[in-house]
Amino acid sequence: MVGSSTVGLGTMSSAPLPNGKSVMEDTQTVRDVDYFDPMAVVSEPVPPVAVESETVVVDREDAEGAEVNGDKAEKREIVLGRNVHTTCLAVTEPDADDESTGDKEAYMASVLARYRKTLIERTKHHLGYPYNLDFDYGALAQLQHFSINNLGDPFIESNYGVHSRQFEVGVLDWFARLWEIEKSEYWGYITNCGTEGNLHGILVGREVLPDGILYASRESHYSVFKAARMYRMECVKVDTLVTGEIDCADFKTKLLVNKEKPAIINVNIGTTVKGAVDDLDLVIQTLEECGFSHDRFYIHCDGALFGLMMPFVKRAPKVTFKKPIGSVSVSGHKFVGCPMPCGVQITRLEHVNALSRNVEYLASRDATIMGSRNGHAPIFLWYTLNRKGYKGFQKEVQKCLRNAHYLKDRLRQAGISAMLNELSSTVVFERPRDEEFVRQWQLACQGNMAHVVVMPNVTIEKLEGFLDALIEGRSIWYKDDKGKPPCLAAEIGSGNCSCPLHK
């Protein structure tokens, strides 16, 4: 167990104090390799339920008086993750004779070996988050000895020579071609994550239209609303359809109320929970119908996952700079399969000048959110884009969509509520009743919904194992009328709900 006082990964909870005393009494016991099994798999305890005052409702004012199927919506308790302070690995000072005995090195090696074993086990049961775990970057191990930093503007070399800008710009050019914008007309950079892409896109919109109002659907990623708080922007939440995509009728109503102010719009190319794709063409049409000229609105497209998948889906609407959009962002650690969080942000060159500043210290220009940027990430992205190419990504997209349909069909056949949007590989279904099951399969949950994001590493065999475990679990959870499966008609539509009422 993680909390074991002799073999747990997280036994040492604090480092020795400067005065020589330690807040940990069993350091020597843990350090004793006789009691440490480096090949054991860490068993993660189910986290406790949060205090009653915490609910899954983000918008408290929206929760007041909310109704579901005519009844008052119940406030559901959030199950929080475990407190890492109870299982952390302490940093301790080496003993005086460690250099000669090698005990410290042996201990650290055993910790890392055990951690690797845990990662292998956890990867086998990873289904709920949109990360492609199918990759091999062994050829790049030779570069890990270098501190590669792309600080500043990717197009202007700074005085720091250990950088990978040539790889970064190559990757940016690839995405510029994908989203149909000329080299001379775009600016972009490789971010540290998808959230940074949203923060930058919305910041550019705010700088271009300083008094603009931010519009985003209620099912947008939380980072969009974080941006509104950080930048002190007025933010209007727009209702969604049952699929999760933005309701343009409600969008039109809210635009007309504020038509004297410019509009900054976040368009989702795949929502977080349901994988819904907002209708970009309808959003633009709605803006134009409300009297907004192209210089009075700015559209940021959050394509974290599906921004890279949609170009390879037949009949999918295009995300392109030939339409009046301002920026697009996509995550590099999701569908691409980069081993560290990163992303790509592309905007129009004319827009980025509004927030750029020259920095003499760097001999470069400051136009990014972060200063120092991971110079290894562009190399990983460059490597996999070259290996797979457009055709390779197309095959992976087709495989993901095919396997997602298989999972949805099998769930429905088993009498389990499930939904799959047309352009998505995110399968939404009823939340498992057992939180230990949720943690085992690392499912992302919201309210009574859970989802599986089918990525290139998710095989039919893995889905079969998950389905067998879920069906077996439900036979126990709902045995002898212990309870009934939740109704998901309000969340995914009555046609996709298999509760007793809608069966």
Side-chain angles (χ1 to χ4, degrees):
M1 293 294 291
V2 173
S4 167
S5 62
T6 55
V7 301
L9 262 180
T11 326
M12 295 187 289
S13 59
S14 62
L17 300 173
N19 61 11
K21 296 182 180 179
S22 173
V23 297
M24 194 192 73
E25 298 177 357
D26 59 345
T27 303
Q28 190 57 44
T29 306
V30 180
R31 288 284 304 279
D32 189 339
V33 294
D34 292 337
Y35 291 93
F36 191 90
D37 179 7
M39 302 310 292
V41 177
V42 176
S43 175
E44 299 190 43
V46 177
V49 175
V51 294
E52 293 183 1
S53 61
E54 304 230 351
T55 71
V56 296
V57 180
V58 176
D59 242 347
R60 295 192 182 276
E61 67 270 21
D62 293 342
E64 296 300 326
E67 295 189 3
V68 178
N69 294 336
D71 299 323
K72 286 282 185 180
E74 294 182 7
K75 288 186 177 181
R76 185 190 183 99
E77 293 175 330
I78 296 177
V79 178
L80 295 177
R82 60 198 171 97
N83 187 330
V84 179
H85 273 287
T86 64
T87 57
C88 70
L89 288 161
V91 177
T92 60
E93 289 298 311
D95 291 338
D97 60 349
D98 267 344
E99 194 168 327
S100 58
T101 65
D103 284 351
K104 183 86 169 187
E105 291 292 331
Y107 165 71
M108 290 190 295
S110 65
V111 169
L112 294 175
R114 183 178 179 186
Y115 177 58
R116 183 177 186 276
K117 179 91 172 178
T118 301
L119 291 178
I120 292 172
E121 180 63 25
R122 299 306 284 143
T123 298
K124 290 179 183 176
H125 294 89
H126 174 271
L127 282 178
Y129 293 86
Y131 306 134
N132 180 4
L133 306 182
D134 183 17
F135 53 76
D136 180 5
Y137 292 104
L140 302 184
Q142 58 186 314
L143 303 178
Q144 299 306 303
H145 301 285
F146 301 96
S147 177
I148 309 176
N149 191 332
N150 288 1
L151 68 172
D153 191 308
F155 298 94
I156 302 176
E157 188 170 353
S158 77
N159 287 335
Y160 183 70
V162 188
H163 64 79
S164 63
R165 280 178 171 80
Q166 61 272 51
F167 293 91
E168 181 171 17
V169 174
V171 171
L172 294 173
D173 283 348
W174 190 91
F175 279 95
R177 290 194 301 273
L178 185 71
W179 294 323
E180 300 181 318
I181 184 170
E182 296 296 325
K183 288 184 180 182
S184 60
E185 296 178 359
Y186 90 85
W187 184 92
Y189 75 106
I190 292 179
T191 63
N192 291 302
C193 60
T195 287
E196 186 180 348
N198 287 340
L199 291 177
H200 191 274
I202 294 170
L203 178 61
V204 172
R206 203 278 307 272
E207 294 298 291
V208 171
L209 302 170
D211 58 341
I213 295 176
L214 176 62
Y215 296 86
S217 84
R218 295 185 182 278
E219 299 202 25
S220 298
H221 191 260
Y222 67 86
S223 62
V224 174
F225 306 111
K226 177 192 288 188
R229 294 194 302 272
M230 288 176 64
Y231 305 147
R232 297 291 191 266
M233 297 173 69
E234 183 179 351
C235 180
V236 174
K237 294 185 179 181
V238 182
D239 292 341
T240 55
L241 306 176
V242 71
T243 58
E245 67 182 274
I246 191 169
D247 181 350
C248 281
D250 185 58
F251 180 44
K252 186 173 186 177
T253 299
K254 287 170 176 172
L255 276 175
L256 291 173
V257 171
N258 302 292
K259 65 180 302 182
E260 75 285 353
K261 287 190 175 182
I264 301 166
I265 308 97
N266 177 77
V267 170
N268 295 304
I269 314 301
T271 56
T272 310
V273 176
K274 297 179 182 178
V277 176
D278 292 342
D279 189 331
L280 175 59
D281 293 333
L282 186 55
V283 167
I284 295 171
Q285 180 184 325
T286 303
L287 284 159
E288 292 172 343
E289 288 176 352
C290 291
F292 285 81
S293 56
H294 289 186
D295 62 346
R296 293 191 64 243
F297 68 79
Y298 180 99
I299 295 175
H300 170 68
C301 298
D302 176 10
L305 171 60
F306 296 110
L308 187 52
M309 295 178 68
M310 273 189 54
F312 306 106
V313 179
K314 291 181 180 179
R315 300 182 301 278
K318 265 192 171 187
V319 175
T320 168
F321 279 90
K322 291 183 178 179
K323 300 175 182 179
I325 63 174
S327 53
V328 185
S329 62
V330 67
S331 294
H333 56 289
K334 292 180 180 173
F335 193 77
V336 177
C338 197
M340 72 277 289
C342 61
V344 174
Q345 161 74 352
I346 299 282
T347 186
R348 297 182 186 273
L349 182 59
E350 62 184 283
H351 292 332
V352 81
N353 291 329
L355 57 81
S356 298
R357 300 291 184 273
N358 293 331
V359 181
E360 183 179 6
Y361 170 76
L362 300 178
S364 185
R365 184 171 57 179
D366 175 31
T368 60
I369 296 288
M370 300 298 171
S372 290
R373 294 185 294 108
N374 186 344
H376 290 275
I379 304 173
F380 281 86
L381 292 173
W382 176 89
Y383 184 81
T384 195
L385 292 177
N386 271 290
R387 287 192 67 187
K388 295 180 180 180
Y390 289 105
K391 289 185 178 179
F393 283 115
Q394 187 173 34
K395 287 181 181 178
E396 290 193 338
V397 168
Q398 291 170 350
K399 172 189 171 185
C400 291
L401 295 179
R402 188 167 55 247
N403 289 355
H405 278 278
Y406 173 81
L407 174 59
K408 186 261 295 182
D409 291 342
R410 283 292 313 276
L411 287 167
R412 297 302 303 276
Q413 290 167 11
I416 302 172
S417 301
M419 179 187 80
L420 173 63
N421 275 309
E422 183 182 1
L423 302 173
S424 176
S425 66
T426 299
V427 181
V428 183
F429 58 98
E430 69 178 52
R431 180 177 186 153
R433 199 166 176 179
D434 184 1
E435 292 300 328
E436 188 171 354
F437 182 93
V438 169
R439 278 186 68 79
Q440 178 190 3
W441 290 96
Q442 300 160 64
L443 301 177
C445 300
Q446 180 175 295
N448 287 324
M449 296 181 293
H451 76 201
V452 163
V453 185
V454 180
M455 300 299 285
N457 63 291
V458 177
T459 62
I460 292 293
E461 291 72 25
K462 178 179 277 192
L463 294 176
E464 287 285 0
F466 168 72
L467 285 162
D468 290 344
L470 179 61
I471 292 169
E472 181 183 357
R474 290 178 89 251
S475 69
I476 298 171
W477 306 331
Y478 302 118
K479 184 179 180 182
D480 301 327
D481 294 327
K482 288 181 180 177
K484 295 179 180 179
C487 176
L488 294 185
E491 290 90 346
I492 63 176
S494 57
N496 295 311
C497 182
S498 296
C499 76
L501 181 63
H502 297 98
K503 208 165 187 176

